[in-house]
């Protein structure tokens, strides 16, 4: 693995089904993020994690959950998919530097998952 | 929370001309402003960023300016080339530590460089 990867690349899902999007990074970044990208709306933050064991809600968290059991993995789960969750999902990671230090470093994005909910 | 507005939504220029994309933000605490380029079907990639302790930053044909008083920042691309055609996103981060460092994105500008 080099950088940040996502799986699956694309998925068509029936409404009401449960789905987990996977994200893995090997850069030892402490911060990870999930965004969704819809036409004309840019990227919107769903959930984030500053470090393993902690998560937080972003701008559009409803219908999604995340976990951060370790540094490398940050899965996103749709418990019961709805058509409005049709989107392209991007995972990202960054090295936020030393705890307590203001450090803004580049966010690296995964290749994305195209999800269609019918 | 932070709100970032980006204009124009589409921009068409002739090869060799300059392109300017503008963004405004709402949170005066924001102090990190990256710009991402996204080609069709690809992931966003950072092209330049600026922090609030500087007013301008340049990297070859790309420059970014920041006006903290007016809460706006701009991307300038000079001598545009067809390969500059893409969607460009501005973003802002308003997260002092130890809060989250997630980005709030503008809605994007589709730049088309005509050969």
């Amino acid at each position: 693995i080099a950088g940040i990867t996502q799986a699956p690349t694309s998925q068509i899902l029936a409404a009401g089904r449960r789905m987990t999007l996977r994200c893995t990074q090997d850069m030892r970044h402490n911060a990870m993020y999930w965004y969704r990208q819809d036409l004309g709306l840019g990227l919107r933050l769903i959930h984030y994690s500053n470090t393993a064991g902690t998560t937080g809600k972003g701008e559009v968290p409803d219908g999604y959950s995340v976990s951060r059991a370790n540094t490398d993995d940050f899965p996103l789960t749709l418990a019961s998919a709805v058509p409005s969750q049709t989107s392209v999902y991007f995972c990202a990671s960054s090295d936020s530097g030393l705890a307590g230090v203001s450090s803004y470093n580049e966010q690296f994005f995964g290749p994305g998952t195209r999800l269609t909910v019918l | 929370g932070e709100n970032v507005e980006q204009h124009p939504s589409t921009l068409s220029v002739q090869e060799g001309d300059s392109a300017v994309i503008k963004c405004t933000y709402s949170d005066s605490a924001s102090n990190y402003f990256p710009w991402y380029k996204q080609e069709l079907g690809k992931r966003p990639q950072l092209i330049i960023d600026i922090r609030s302790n500087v007013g301008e930053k340049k990297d070859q044909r790309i420059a970014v300016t920041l006006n903290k008083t007016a809460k706006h920042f701009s991307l300038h691309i000079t001598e545009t080339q067809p390969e500059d055609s893409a969607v460009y996103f501005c973003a802002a981060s308003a997260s002092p530590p130890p809060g989250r460092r997630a980005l709030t994105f503008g809605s994007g500008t589709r730049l088309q460089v005509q050969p």
Side-chain angles (χ1 to χ4, degrees), chain A residues 35 37 48 104 107 109-110, chain B residues 38 43 51 95 100 103:
Chain A
Y35 296 90
Q37 183 174 33
Y48 65 94
Y104 297 88
Q107 284 194 21
F109 284 81
Chain B
Q38 186 178 29
R43 73 189 79 186
R51 288 163 172 75
S95 305
R100 64 178 176 89
L103 298 169

Side-chain angles (χ1 to χ4, degrees), chain B residues 84-107:
Chain B
D84 294 330
S85 297
V87 178
Y88 291 81
F89 292 97
C90 63
S93 180
S95 305
R100 64 178 176 89
R101 291 172 177 81
L103 298 169
T104 300
F105 284 84
S107 55

Side-chain angles (χ1 to χ4, degrees), chain B residues 63-82:
Chain B
V64 58
T65 59
L66 171 65
N67 183 328
K68 286 219 76 178
T69 302
K71 291 191 225 170
H72 66 70
F73 56 113
S74 302
L75 177 71
H76 304 253
I77 306 174
T78 59
E79 301 172 24
T80 54
Q81 302 167 2

Side-chain angles (χ1 to χ4, degrees), chain A residues 2 54 60 62 68 76 88-89 91 98 109 116:
Chain A
T54 69
V60 288
D62 294 344
R68 187 88 184 278
L76 176 74
V88 179
Y89 291 85
C91 179
L98 298 174
F109 284 81
T116 303

Side-chain angles (χ1 to χ4, degrees), chain B:
Chain B
E2 175 69 282
N3 181 50
V4 178
E5 295 192 356
Q6 182 172 347
H7 301 280
S9 57
T10 60
L11 180 59
S12 182
V13 300
Q14 291 295 124
E15 183 177 358
D17 287 350
S18 295
V20 180
I21 302 171
K22 298 182 179 181
C23 289
T24 61
Y25 62 98
S26 61
D27 191 337
S28 57
S30 290
N31 56 4
Y32 176 61
F33 308 91
W35 286 87
Y36 283 82
K37 177 183 180 181
Q38 186 178 29
E39 297 177 347
L40 188 63
K42 301 288 183 63
R43 73 189 79 186
Q45 293 197 305
L46 181 73
I47 55 171
I48 195 168
D49 58 16
I50 190 167
R51 288 163 172 75
S52 61
N53 57 343
V54 297
E56 183 174 359
K57 183 177 178 180
K58 191 172 182 180
D59 183 3
Q60 299 182 343
R61 296 185 298 108
I62 295 173
V64 58
T65 59
L66 171 65
N67 183 328
K68 286 219 76 178
T69 302
K71 291 191 225 170
H72 66 70
F73 56 113
S74 302
L75 177 71
H76 304 253
I77 306 174
T78 59
E79 301 172 24
T80 54
Q81 302 167 2
E83 50 266 39
D84 294 330
S85 297
V87 178
Y88 291 81
F89 292 97
C90 63
S93 180
S95 305
R100 64 178 176 89
R101 291 172 177 81
L103 298 169
T104 300
F105 284 84
S107 55
T109 296
R110 182 174 299 279
L111 174 64
Q112 182 69 45
V113 180
Q114 306 289 344

